[in-house]
């Protein structure tokens, strides 16, 4: 699957910021992190599985010990894993990773004990990582990768996460393997664009040893694991994660994709459709559209290729027989052992893993050919079309100017990382920076600079460096002045030598981050490392992507001096550009654009260096950690957080980290208030308050962000959330700085900045609402929650808000509320209380009134089936979203466990049936729903209006559910799934952040059920097959108990290219022509009864 690019920023303003992406962070060209041409496959193909299959590893003595030992990678001092690098006899390079931080013999005992306790001699650990209590956005992780507004819905924030790795009852972790082939979309044949991506899909379609088309994915999901793959420009990665006990069999199945894949002809059309659906989902992405135009400038170079693939490109006038032959020839040429790297991580010894790998992966053939390379194509943009101005209408409502430079390939310059140094300085947001100047002029609110580090921007042919500026309306009108400032800043940099002081500062920050980084999830770790293995020597596999090894003034100066006006390509995005001026159309995405000479006035502004005196290099960073000592506990260690402060104003929970033992900390606070629930306008004012604070504090907090101190400040449905985390030394100082900006915002906000923030917030509401996958959620929650202010409603009223209203609201909000806090990590309880005292002394909070409401309640659907169809807001988007939601009602831990079990059991067949077999759409998933204590589940399909009607998709979901109950819900599978689910709930946390996130969810939900996972495991051990049927079947088939809401956001069959007015307001267009149609949401909602405030505790 091709990866949809998230955005230009490696570091975002905050992962949790709901609508705003104002604050871009520095760019680092992480050599070979995925790109525009790389997107993860949504949950892959599945098939019914057998519980009786046995696997026995039989080593071949002739294969054991045949590998060559290579140098061992350098690791950080806190890394407890052991490493070994080997090269197999067939040329495959392998990195073995033994996670021996927990005694391996004890793990064997725990695995045996778990199987014995559950009466499942064959039962294994599992991982279902997609079922959330109500984590509506987390459920959409698979298809949300193109979003750059990572949103924190209240369903997420207000309910604890039940991700299935939630306790530390055992030391068991998942095992993982990743194989990277050093070939990607650059190798596509000229007449078959998308061939590499297509091949990535096809190798999963069965092997000689395991011929069932979806057997690998079925095997993984049976045991709670998962698999994925992605295609980049010069690499293709395959990886999987599975419980430790099933790892050897998993590797044997995995290896067959590269030993003897079947790639049957009769699978080709289905996978063409899958690739095409993936492309259709990518169409509304502005980044993808620009990348295709930008790459097209490099005529005759692989960067100009159409890498996604679709039904047209994969049906190039060849017969299926010819295409099938070409596909196999392409695989034989490129999928060869000497072009591959493998990373393997497990809680096993290095010797055991080496024996397995030698016996399993040595059978991958080596074709004896040389790798196809592209380093000789070193000037892809050396043509007259590059130094031009390209203009286009964006999908999103945005004004943006992008400046692109094409430099030499810098893959081999990882020891210096010149682009990282340059992006650090140009993307700086503190005093004397380019963004600081543009913000003072109110011409821009965000700026990103650097290289994405993916295969499109950072490859063996060239390296891209870009500066992207999100403009205000006044900035768009003065774009020549913006460009004058950009080149003035660059002149300031070029007129002096590179700063060794700044380089050493970056070195130290990166050293600390590497030395004390939190452990990655096994699948993420091996995925990254398997790719790194192609670009670094073995000693540098672990740190080559992160550390700055040597200062090279000549190289840095050469790269900096290349950022001249004569070498730049400009891209301007605005909906204000007259339609008739866009006289060209890109053939694959059908994006209208224009290509013209850069206006003389702009060129003159770019050559004017007079503004260079306005800028200076970043000052020394005061937030770099110095005290890295591990604190001694001053309270008895506790398994769960304890409440150490409690009064009418708030509560503070605390837990000392005694497991990970790193100098890291997490400080989370939430100010609960009834105000945002009282009116739509109040909810908008809360968003404006958060966004205004973020803008006002950029200069002060940016150094902390560079020092790897992370922060988030965002509005939730019931209040304001503030989070800081990172090395614990300077965290309290950082938090107080943020709080001071918060309390002073009403006095410091100026009308010009307020107007810019208001307009940007309106654009963010717009950009959220035009995405069908967001709108389908918003419409559903509008019906289900007693209070839900949707972004499309906020978009319509935000311009009515005044600065005086914001100031008044802010003072009122900060004057009264309930403070919830969690401090966890490298702090003593005394330090935690001191921090809480600082927070309370900074915030002028008084206690809430008894009648104030800060909880949300869920409405009970009327019995029967209800259809709510609305038109998507983006008239150029063909994507249709269908969500069938089935409401169960209030429940406890037992009922939640039943639904979670059924969802885990359903995940395989729903994907296999609706996606793989019926090809309804690329994205298909089922989800457990916990909407403020009311349980239910949903099935969602992302299709296209050009392919299927929403009614057809809904009917196929219903048909699937009938088949699912009759075919898949049987006693054997229920027992096995309950066993897998229970074991996965006792899996160890990999990071402190996981544990903190779980605890925070319990606190903000006000359930405080910190032992939830243990209770769920107990419930699962007692649930019978009959109980599952008795609870689940009435949700579907009994008209007296079925409460169904089917929400359809319908895409547009024909693209309507009429220009949208800047003053456009959103109004839902509801279809009312069906018997069970909801014709008026407000009227329908008034008929619903509302549940009381509910908590799931027992």
């Amino acid at each position: 699957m091709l990866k949809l690019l998230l955005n230009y920023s490696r570091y975002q303003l905050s992962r949790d910021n709901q609508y705003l992406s104002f604050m871009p962070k520095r760019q680092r060209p992480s050599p070979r992190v995925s790109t525009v041409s790389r997107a993860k496959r949504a949950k892959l193909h599945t098939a019914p599985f057998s519980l009786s299959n046995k696997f026995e590893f039989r080593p071949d003595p002739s294969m054991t010990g045949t590998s060559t030992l290579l140098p061992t990678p350098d690791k950080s001092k806190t890394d407890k894993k052991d490493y070994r690098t080997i090269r197999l006899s067939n040329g495959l390079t392998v990195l073995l990773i033994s996670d021996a931080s927990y005694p391996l013999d004890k793990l064997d005992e725990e695995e045996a004990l778990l199987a014995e306790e559950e009466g499942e001699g064959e039962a294994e650990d599992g991982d279902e990582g997609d079922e959330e209590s109500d984590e509506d956005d987390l459920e959409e992780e698979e298809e949300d990768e193109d979003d750059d507004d990572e949103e924190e819905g209240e369903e997420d924030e207000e309910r604890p996460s039940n991700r299935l790795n939630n306790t530390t009852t055992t030391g068991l972790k998942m095992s993982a393997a990743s194989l990277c082939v050093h070939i990607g979309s650059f190798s596509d044949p000229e007449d078959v664009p998308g061939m590499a991506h297509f091949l990535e899909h096809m190798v999963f379609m069965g092997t000689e040893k395991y011929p069932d088309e979806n057997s690998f994915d079925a095997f993984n999901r049976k045991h709670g694991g998962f698999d994925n793959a992605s295609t980049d420009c010069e690499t293709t990665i395959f990886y999987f994660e599975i419980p430790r006990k099933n790892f050897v069999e998993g590797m044997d199945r995995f290896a067959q994709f590269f030993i003897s894949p079947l790639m049957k002809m009769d699978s080709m059309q289905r996978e063409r459709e899958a690739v095409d659906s993936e492309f259709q989902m990518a169409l509304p992405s502005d980044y993808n559209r620009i990348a295709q135009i930008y790459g097209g400038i490099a005529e005759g170079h692989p960067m100009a290729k159409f890498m996604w693939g679709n039904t047209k490109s994969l049906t190039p006038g060849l017969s299926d027989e010819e295409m099938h032959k070409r596909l196999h020839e392409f695989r034989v040429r490129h999928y060869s052992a000497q072009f591959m790297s493998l990373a393997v991580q497990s809680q096993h010894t290095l010797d055991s893993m080496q024996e397995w790998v030698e016996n399993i992966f040595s059978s991958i053939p080596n074709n004896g050919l040389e790798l196809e390379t592209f380093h000789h194509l070193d000037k892809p943009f050396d043509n007259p079309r590059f130094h031009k101005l390209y203009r286009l209408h964006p999908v999103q409502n945005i004004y943006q100017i992008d400046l692109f430079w094409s430099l030499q390939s810098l893959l081999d310059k990882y020891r210096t990382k010149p682009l990282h140094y340059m992006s650090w300085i140009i993307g700086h947001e503190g005093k004397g920076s380019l963004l600081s100047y543009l913000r003072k002029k109110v011409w821009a609110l965000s700026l990103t600079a650097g290289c994405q580090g993916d295969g499109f921007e950072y490859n063996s042919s060239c390296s891209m460096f870009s500066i992207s500026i999100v403009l205000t309306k006044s900035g768009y009108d003065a774009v020549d002045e913006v460009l004058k400032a950009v080149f003035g800043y660059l002149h300031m940099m070029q007129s002096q030598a590179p700063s060794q002081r700044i380089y050493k500062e970056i070195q130290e920050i990166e050293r600390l981050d590497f030395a004390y980084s939190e452990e990655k999830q096994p699948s993420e770790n091996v995925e990254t490392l398997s790719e790194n293995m192609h670009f670094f020597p073995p000693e540098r596999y672990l740190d080559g992507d992160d550390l700055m090894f040597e200062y090279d003034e000549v190289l840095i100066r050469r790269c900096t001096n290349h950022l001249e006006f004569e070498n730049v390509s400009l891209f301007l995005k605005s909906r204000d550009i007259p339609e008739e001026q866009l006289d060209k159309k890109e053939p694959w995405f059908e994006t209208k654009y224009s290509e013209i000479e850069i206006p003389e006035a702009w060129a003159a502004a770019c050559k004017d260096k007079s503004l260079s005196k306005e800028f200076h290099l970043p000052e020394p960073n005061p937030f770099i950690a110095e005290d890295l000592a591990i604190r001694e506990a001053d309270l008895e260690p506790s398994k769960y957080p304890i409440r150490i402060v409690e009064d009418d104003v708030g509560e503070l929970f605390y837990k000392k980290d005694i497991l990970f033992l790193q100098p890291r900390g997490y400080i989370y606070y939430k100010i609960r208030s009834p105000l945002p629930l009282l009116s739509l306008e109040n909810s908008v004012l809360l968003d404006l308050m958060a966004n205004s604070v973020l803008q006002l504090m950029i200069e002060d907090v940016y150094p902390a962000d560079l020092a790897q101190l992370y922060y988030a400040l965002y509005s939730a449905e019931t209040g304001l959330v503030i989070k800081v985390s990172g090395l614990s030394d300077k965290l309290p100082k950082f938090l107080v700085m943020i709080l001071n900006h918060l309390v002073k915002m009403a006095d410091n906000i100026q009308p010009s900045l307020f107007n810019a923030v208001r307009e940007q917030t309106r654009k963010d509401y717009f950009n959220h609402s035009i995405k069908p996958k967001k709108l389908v959620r918003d419409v559903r929650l509008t019906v289900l929650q007693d209070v839900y202010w949707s972004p499309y409603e906020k978009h319509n009223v935000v311009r009515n808000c005044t600065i005086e209203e914001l100031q008044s609201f802010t003072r009122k909000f900060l004057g009264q509320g309930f403070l919830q806090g969690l401090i966890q990590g490298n702090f003593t309880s005394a330090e935690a209380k001191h921090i809480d005292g600082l927070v309370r002394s900074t915030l002028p909070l008084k206690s809430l009134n008894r009648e104030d409401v800060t909880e949300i309640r869920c409405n009970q659907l009327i019995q029967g089936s209800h259809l709510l169809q609305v038109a998507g807001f983006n008239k150029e988007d063909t994507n249709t979203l269908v969500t069938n939601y089935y409401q169960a009602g209030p429940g406890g831990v037992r009922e939640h466990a039943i639904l979670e079990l059924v969802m885990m059991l359903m995940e395989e067949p729903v994907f296999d049936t609706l996606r793989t077999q019926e090809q309804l759409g690329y994205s298909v998933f089922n989800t457990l729903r916990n909407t403020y204590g009311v349980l239910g589940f949903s099935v969602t399909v992302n299709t296209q209006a050009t392919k299927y009607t929403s009614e057809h998709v809904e009917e196929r979901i219903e048909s699937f559910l009938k088949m699912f109950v009759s075919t898949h819900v049987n006693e054997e599978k229920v027992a096995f799934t309950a066993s897998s689910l229970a074991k996965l709930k006792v899996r160890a946390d990999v990071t402190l952040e996981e544990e903190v996130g779980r605890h925070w969810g319990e606190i903000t939900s006000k359930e405080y059920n910190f032992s939830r996972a243990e209770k769920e495991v107990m419930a699962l051990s007692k649930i019978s097959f009959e109980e599952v049927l008795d609870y689940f079947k009435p949700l579907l088939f009994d008209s007296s108990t079925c409460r169904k809401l089917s929400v359809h956001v319908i895409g547009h069959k024909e693209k309507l290219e009429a220009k949208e007015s800047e003053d456009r307001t959103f109004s839902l267009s509801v279809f009312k022509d069906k018997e069970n149609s909801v014709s008026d949401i407000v009227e329908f909602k008034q008929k619903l009864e509302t549940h009381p405030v509910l908590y799931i505790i027992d």
Side-chain angles (χ1 to χ4, degrees):
M1 165 184 230
L2 287 181
K3 182 163 188 182
L4 290 69
L5 188 68
L6 299 178
N7 53 35
Y8 289 95
S9 296
R10 176 174 183 251
Y11 302 103
Q12 295 184 347
L13 173 62
S14 83
R15 291 171 308 163
D16 307 305
N17 187 28
Q18 186 165 5
Y19 302 113
L20 203 61
S21 301
F22 276 165
M23 184 174 174
K25 304 301 180 213
R26 60 192 171 93
Q27 288 304 299
R28 126 154 54 200
S30 306
R32 319 304 308 152
V33 180
S34 56
T35 102
V36 59
S37 60
R38 177 176 168 197
K40 309 230 185 270
R41 291 183 308 128
K43 299 167 190 174
L44 249 171
H45 331 295
T46 58
F49 55 77
S50 166
L51 302 183
S52 59
N53 290 340
K54 300 267 188 172
F55 173 83
E56 183 178 352
F57 174 71
R58 295 188 179 93
D60 181 350
S62 66
M63 299 303 298
T64 303
T66 57
S67 56
T68 302
L69 187 66
L70 302 178
T72 302
D74 292 349
K75 66 178 185 177
S76 74
K77 61 183 179 182
T78 60
D79 189 346
K80 300 176 183 178
K81 296 185 288 295
D82 296 321
Y83 298 87
R84 181 182 297 168
T85 311
I86 58 175
R87 179 163 291 130
L88 302 187
S89 57
N90 60 355
L92 174 65
T93 304
V94 183
L95 176 62
L96 305 172
I97 308 168
S98 172
D99 185 351
S101 57
Y102 193 85
L104 300 185
D105 55 347
K106 191 172 181 181
L107 289 174
D108 294 333
E109 295 173 5
E110 289 177 353
E111 281 184 328
L113 180 61
L114 283 170
E116 179 182 339
E117 286 178 346
E118 293 163 22
E120 278 282 348
E122 293 296 314
E124 322 294 359
D125 296 325
D127 176 13
E128 178 61 16
D130 266 80
E131 310 314 331
E132 315 298 334
S133 59
D134 195 31
E135 305 235 346
D136 204 291
D137 285 320
L138 283 177
E139 97 212 352
E140 297 179 2
E141 283 177 330
E142 299 290 346
E143 70 283 359
D144 245 12
E145 295 181 60
D146 60 335
D147 286 349
D148 36 33
D149 57 335
E150 297 195 26
E151 122 182 28
E152 175 92 7
E154 191 70 3
E155 287 190 294
D156 299 343
E157 178 56 30
E158 294 301 310
R159 288 288 164 181
S161 165
N162 282 314
R163 295 190 72 79
L164 304 180
N165 48 4
N166 279 349
T167 91
T168 54
T169 303
T170 77
L172 288 166
K173 301 176 184 177
M174 300 294 274
S175 298
S178 177
L179 187 144
C180 179
V181 190
H182 204 340
I183 171 267
S185 298
F186 276 5
S187 297
D188 284 346
E190 291 295 334
D191 61 333
V192 191
M195 174 74 93
H197 185 198
F198 187 40
L199 175 61
E200 171 230 299
H201 279 247
M202 286 295 295
V203 295
F204 278 89
M205 298 291 99
T207 63
E208 289 184 10
K209 186 171 183 179
Y210 303 101
D212 288 349
E213 202 171 75
N214 303 299
S215 62
F216 181 64
D217 194 67
F219 169 79
N220 275 327
R221 299 201 181 280
K222 163 187 171 182
H223 296 291
F226 69 91
D227 52 89
N228 218 328
S230 56
T231 302
D232 205 332
C233 293
E234 295 180 281
T235 56
T236 304
I237 298 179
F238 303 83
Y239 65 95
F240 75 100
E241 186 173 88
I242 202 164
R244 173 180 184 260
K245 191 173 181 180
N246 308 106
F247 189 44
V248 184
E249 181 175 359
M251 284 198 293
D252 186 65
R253 291 174 176 270
F254 182 66
Q256 303 309 311
F257 296 141
F258 315 103
I259 296 171
S260 56
L262 294 177
M263 302 198 307
K264 295 178 180 178
M265 193 184 306
D266 59 8
S267 300
M268 286 176 29
Q269 185 55 32
R270 287 199 302 274
E271 290 311 304
R272 279 194 193 103
E273 292 291 338
V275 170
D276 186 75
S277 292
E278 190 176 339
F279 170 64
Q280 294 297 327
M281 291 174 63
L283 277 174
S285 164
D286 283 323
Y287 180 88
N288 295 332
R289 289 167 176 248
I290 286 183
Q292 195 66 44
I293 297 171
Y294 178 85
I297 300 172
E299 298 172 356
H301 189 278
M303 289 193 70
K305 293 180 178 181
F306 172 59
M307 304 179 198
W308 290 88
N310 59 15
T311 51
K312 179 181 177 181
S313 75
L314 298 176
T315 315
L318 302 175
S319 67
D320 272 2
E321 290 79 7
E322 292 173 312
M323 185 66 181
H324 186 246
K325 180 183 177 182
R326 293 278 300 276
L327 188 67
H328 276 272
E329 290 173 346
F330 189 81
R331 182 190 69 81
V332 171
R333 168 63 182 92
H334 296 292
Y335 277 38
S336 185
Q338 75 274 28
F339 306 149
M340 297 178 178
S341 57
L342 174 71
V344 175
Q345 178 173 330
S346 186
Q347 291 173 301
H348 290 97
T349 66
L350 290 172
D351 290 341
S352 294
M353 287 192 287
Q354 179 170 336
E355 182 182 42
W356 298 334
V357 166
E358 287 173 337
N359 279 268
I360 293 172
F361 289 91
S362 292
S363 297
I364 297 176
N366 183 321
N367 61 17
L369 300 176
E370 292 294 322
L371 177 70
E372 182 180 17
T373 60
F374 305 93
H375 59 272
H376 59 289
L377 305 173
D378 57 349
K379 294 182 180 179
F381 296 100
D382 189 13
N383 67 63
R385 292 188 59 208
F386 187 76
H387 186 53
K388 295 285 183 71
L389 169 63
Y390 291 83
R391 299 180 300 167
L392 68 154
H393 286 170
V395 175
Q396 296 190 333
N397 187 7
I398 194 172
Y399 298 111
Q400 184 167 320
I401 182 76
D402 298 326
L403 298 85
F404 295 111
W405 290 270
S406 179
L407 293 84
Q408 68 180 83
S409 175
L410 295 166
L411 284 174
D412 62 341
K413 308 300 181 184
Y414 69 89
R415 296 189 62 82
T416 299
K417 296 183 174 65
L419 300 189
H420 185 24
Y421 168 86
M422 292 158 57
S423 64
W424 187 283
I425 294 176
I426 299 171
H428 201 274
E429 300 176 8
K431 295 177 175 62
S433 68
L434 173 58
L435 181 60
S436 176
Y437 176 85
L438 296 175
R439 287 181 64 252
K440 288 174 183 175
K441 296 289 187 179
V442 199
W443 288 340
L445 295 178
S446 73
L447 178 152
T448 57
C451 177
Q452 178 68 21
D454 54 55
F456 187 75
E457 297 191 12
Y458 200 72
N459 54 61
S460 62
S461 287
C462 64
S463 302
M464 181 195 300
F465 191 91
S466 64
I467 300 176
S468 297
I469 305 171
V470 177
L471 303 166
T472 63
K473 181 62 168 67
S474 59
Y476 174 73
D477 293 336
V479 69
D480 55 336
E481 292 296 320
V482 172
L483 290 172
K484 180 180 177 181
V486 170
F487 283 94
Y489 190 89
L490 294 177
H491 178 69
M492 179 275 297
M493 284 184 64
Q494 295 161 348
S495 63
Q496 55 188 298
S499 170
Q500 193 165 8
R501 188 265 303 171
I502 293 177
Y503 192 91
K504 288 183 177 179
E505 187 175 273
I506 302 171
Q507 270 186 317
E508 177 62 9
I509 289 172
E510 300 298 357
R511 184 192 70 80
L512 289 172
D513 188 48
F514 179 75
Y516 298 102
S517 61
E518 289 209 270
E519 185 178 348
K520 294 180 180 178
Q521 295 293 338
S523 59
E524 179 187 356
N525 195 40
V526 296
E527 180 192 10
T528 300
L529 292 177
S530 68
E531 194 170 31
N532 284 357
M533 292 167 69
H534 287 291
F535 301 99
F536 305 109
E539 297 92 336
R540 301 273 74 87
Y541 284 168
L542 305 183
D543 60 15
D545 203 17
D546 298 310
L547 298 186
M548 314 277 280
F549 297 95
E550 59 189 27
Y551 174 71
D552 185 336
E553 179 179 331
V554 174
L555 176 61
I556 295 173
R557 184 186 286 276
R558 185 168 73 242
C559 292
T560 302
N561 288 343
H562 186 81
L563 305 189
E564 292 286 356
F565 168 71
E566 290 74 13
N567 301 325
V568 74
S569 184
L570 300 178
F571 279 70
L572 182 66
K573 293 188 294 188
S574 169
R575 289 173 171 244
D576 292 354
I577 299 170
E579 181 83 25
E580 62 274 10
Q581 294 183 10
L582 305 180
D583 56 348
K584 294 181 180 292
K585 180 181 286 188
E586 191 282 315
W588 295 105
F589 283 77
E590 297 185 349
T591 308
K592 287 189 172 182
Y593 70 98
S594 67
E595 174 187 336
I596 62 174
E597 297 294 333
I598 298 173
E600 292 185 7
W602 292 20
C606 293
K607 296 174 183 178
D608 185 344
K609 313 298 185 184
S610 61
L611 286 180
S612 60
K613 62 182 180 298
E614 297 283 339
F615 309 111
H616 60 78
L617 295 176
E619 298 171 349
N621 194 321
F623 285 99
I624 299 176
E626 298 169 310
D627 182 0
L628 302 170
I630 303 299
R631 298 291 187 265
E632 295 290 335
D634 58 354
L635 291 177
E636 281 294 316
S638 59
K639 186 175 183 179
Y640 303 117
I642 57 175
R643 189 187 277 117
I644 60 174
V645 176
E646 182 180 19
D647 56 28
D648 291 341
V649 174
E651 60 187 359
L652 173 67
F653 285 82
Y654 162 78
K655 184 177 185 296
K656 173 75 172 70
D657 170 44
I658 57 174
L659 177 63
F660 299 96
L661 298 177
Q662 287 200 337
R664 290 188 167 274
Y666 292 81
I667 306 175
Y668 290 179
Y669 275 94
K670 178 174 183 178
I671 305 172
R672 298 186 73 99
S673 170
L675 294 179
L677 296 179
L678 292 179
S679 69
L680 173 63
E681 290 72 18
N682 277 1
S683 181
V684 172
L685 287 168
L686 180 60
D687 292 341
L688 290 173
M689 182 182 82
N691 294 343
S692 298
V693 173
L694 290 169
Q695 282 298 308
L696 285 168
M697 69 183 187
I698 283 178
E699 284 191 3
D700 290 336
V701 303
Y702 192 71
D705 179 77
L706 290 180
Q708 309 289 5
L709 299 184
Y710 302 100
Y711 71 95
L713 186 148
Y714 58 90
S715 57
E717 289 185 287
T718 59
L720 185 75
V721 178
I722 305 156
K723 299 179 180 179
V724 295
S725 62
L727 296 178
S728 55
D729 181 23
K730 306 291 178 70
L731 273 186
K733 172 183 176 181
F734 186 33
L735 175 64
V736 170
M737 173 186 288
I738 292 173
L739 293 176
N740 280 327
H741 277 284
L742 173 62
V743 298
K744 295 176 182 177
M745 187 277 291
D747 295 327
N748 292 342
I749 187 77
Q750 296 298 312
S752 57
L753 180 60
F754 168 78
N755 291 335
V757 169
R758 182 178 59 185
E759 285 305 300
Q760 184 60 46
T761 303
R762 186 173 186 268
K763 286 182 171 64
D764 292 328
Y765 291 149
F766 176 94
N767 296 335
H768 169 105
S769 300
I770 63 173
K771 297 173 183 175
K773 61 191 168 190
K774 301 294 186 184
L775 185 58
V776 75
R777 173 182 186 266
D778 292 334
V779 171
R780 176 175 59 84
L781 294 183
T782 298
V783 173
L784 292 180
Q785 292 184 195
D786 66 332
V787 179
Y788 185 76
W789 309 120
S790 64
Y792 66 83
E793 293 175 298
K794 294 181 179 183
H795 172 270
N796 293 343
V797 304
V798 63
R799 278 186 173 169
N800 299 331
C801 297
T802 67
I803 188 172
E804 292 79 15
E805 289 174 331
L806 174 62
Q807 292 167 327
S808 175
F809 173 85
T810 300
R811 294 184 178 108
K812 188 173 182 180
F813 180 90
L814 295 177
Q816 197 172 30
F818 186 79
L819 192 64
Q820 292 183 294
L822 170 65
I823 297 179
Q824 188 167 337
N826 189 39
F827 300 103
T828 64
S829 66
E831 288 174 326
K833 289 179 179 178
H834 176 69
I835 294 169
D836 192 63
L838 292 175
V839 172
R840 287 169 175 248
S841 64
T842 305
L843 297 174
L845 280 177
K846 294 182 180 178
S847 62
L848 292 173
N849 301 319
R850 180 168 297 182
E851 65 273 13
D852 288 335
V853 176
T854 63
E855 281 79 29
I856 293 174
R857 300 181 297 163
C858 182
N859 297 319
Q860 182 182 53
L861 290 176
I862 301 170
Q863 293 170 351
S865 178
H866 309 282
L867 175 64
L868 182 48
Q869 294 177 303
V870 302
F873 290 133
N874 183 0
K875 293 180 173 57
E876 296 184 22
D877 194 344
T878 65
N879 284 289
T880 290
L881 266 290
V882 176
T883 293
N884 277 12
Y885 166 74
Y886 303 85
Q887 189 176 77
V893 169
R894 171 185 170 277
E895 290 74 23
H896 188 281
I898 290 175
L899 272 182
E900 199 169 11
L901 185 159
V902 175
M903 291 300 100
M904 184 175 180
L905 185 57
M906 185 186 296
E907 184 179 6
E908 278 191 277
V910 74
F911 192 83
D912 181 51
T913 302
L914 301 182
R915 191 276 201 187
T916 304
Q917 296 179 25
E918 300 191 20
Q919 287 293 322
L920 294 182
Y922 186 76
S923 176
V924 176
F925 58 91
N926 59 292
T927 308
L928 188 155
R929 300 288 183 182
N930 173 359
T931 311
Y932 297 98
V934 175
L935 300 177
F937 78 96
S938 67
V939 177
T940 297
V941 175
N942 187 154
T943 189
Q944 282 79 42
T946 52
K947 295 182 177 181
Y948 299 103
T949 66
S950 66
E951 293 87 353
H952 173 75
V953 173
E954 182 193 0
E955 187 276 325
R956 298 314 302 156
I957 294 174
E958 286 290 307
S959 177
F960 160 76
L961 290 172
K962 292 175 183 177
M963 180 277 293
F964 168 73
V965 172
S966 62
T967 304
H968 293 274
V969 184
N970 58 49
E971 190 164 2
E972 183 184 20
K973 289 185 178 179
V974 166
F976 186 92
T977 305
S979 170
S980 294
L981 184 54
K983 288 177 184 174
L984 131 210
K985 287 179 177 290
V986 298
R987 201 178 76 195
D989 285 322
V990 175
T991 66
L992 177 59
E993 185 177 19
E994 290 180 81
E995 183 181 308
V996 171
R998 184 170 63 253
H999 295 156
W1000 180 240
E1002 294 292 345
I1003 293 167
T1004 56
S1005 72
K1006 300 176 74 172
E1007 292 181 334
Y1008 312 111
N1009 191 6
F1010 299 115
S1011 61
R1012 183 179 303 276
E1014 286 92 332
K1015 293 178 181 178
E1016 290 173 339
V1017 169
M1018 182 64 68
L1020 286 167
S1021 69
K1022 298 177 181 179
I1023 292 172
S1024 68
F1025 166 64
E1026 292 75 19
E1027 287 177 302
V1028 172
L1029 279 183
D1030 289 345
Y1031 184 77
F1032 187 67
K1033 285 182 68 174
L1035 307 184
L1036 305 174
F1037 309 127
D1038 189 334
S1039 60
S1040 66
T1041 54
C1042 175
R1043 303 176 189 273
K1044 172 190 168 186
L1045 176 66
S1046 185
V1047 181
H1048 304 186
V1049 174
I1050 300 176
H1052 300 267
K1053 288 185 178 180
E1054 297 181 3
K1055 295 182 179 180
L1056 304 178
E1057 298 181 352
K1059 183 179 176 182
E1060 299 283 2
S1061 168
E1062 177 66 19
D1063 297 321
R1064 173 188 178 179
T1065 57
F1066 287 124
S1067 177
L1068 281 180
S1069 177
V1070 181
F1071 298 93
K1072 311 172 184 179
D1073 54 343
K1074 304 296 187 300
E1075 181 179 347
N1076 62 337
S1077 292
V1078 175
S1079 59
D1080 186 299
I1081 295 178
V1082 174
E1083 181 180 312
F1084 178 75
K1085 192 171 179 179
Q1086 289 172 346
K1087 299 176 183 177
L1088 306 181
E1089 294 184 7
T1090 302
H1091 290 284
V1093 176
L1094 299 170
Y1095 301 107
I1096 298 180
I1097 298 174
D1098 296 310

